[in-house]
Amino acid sequence: VRRIFKKKKEIESQKYMFGVAVPRNHAEAIKFDKENKNNLWKEAIDKELNQLLDYKTFDILSPGEGAPGGYTYVPLNLVFAVKHDG
């Protein structure tokens, strides 16, 4: 019960960095873009993902596809932040 209460409190609180609301996940980032009538978060996400692909850091697998032999499956987690210079 204690863990559920703590998690619920985290979900309800909004995080701000340098006066900017920071999304907790991809869906919230898209929601913020719609509310602000821009696509700054989407552009940032696309830029980061494209860099991973350009540097051939990861191979993107289809849903349900297992990692090839000798490789390990690593899930993609997005961490959102705002730099001090905006």
Side-chain angles (χ1 to χ4, degrees):
V1 176
R2 186 175 183 190
R3 184 174 181 186
I4 294 171
F5 178 77
K6 183 177 182 183
K7 184 75 171 170
K8 184 177 179 183
K9 184 177 179 183
E10 287 176 14
I11 291 172
E12 291 174 357
S13 65
Q14 180 61 57
K15 182 177 176 185
Y16 289 87
M17 293 180 77
F18 305 104
V20 177
V22 179
R24 290 179 290 270
N25 54 45
H26 182 265
E28 192 170 58
I30 301 305
K31 177 183 155 203
F32 285 175
D33 280 351
K34 286 181 183 176
E35 289 173 357
N36 295 320
K37 297 181 181 166
N38 61 34
N39 54 350
L40 298 176
W41 285 111
K42 183 183 181 318
E43 289 173 3
I45 292 167
D46 290 345
K47 181 179 178 181
E48 292 294 327
L49 294 178
N50 285 331
Q51 285 180 341
L52 289 174
L53 295 174
D54 289 345
Y55 295 130
K56 298 181 180 171
T57 307
F58 297 103
D59 287 330
I60 307 300
L61 303 176
S62 300
E65 184 180 358
Y71 289 88
T72 303
Y73 172 77
V74 178
L76 176 67
N77 292 311
L78 299 174
V79 178
F80 296 94
V82 176
K83 294 182 179 178
H84 66 89
D85 61 358

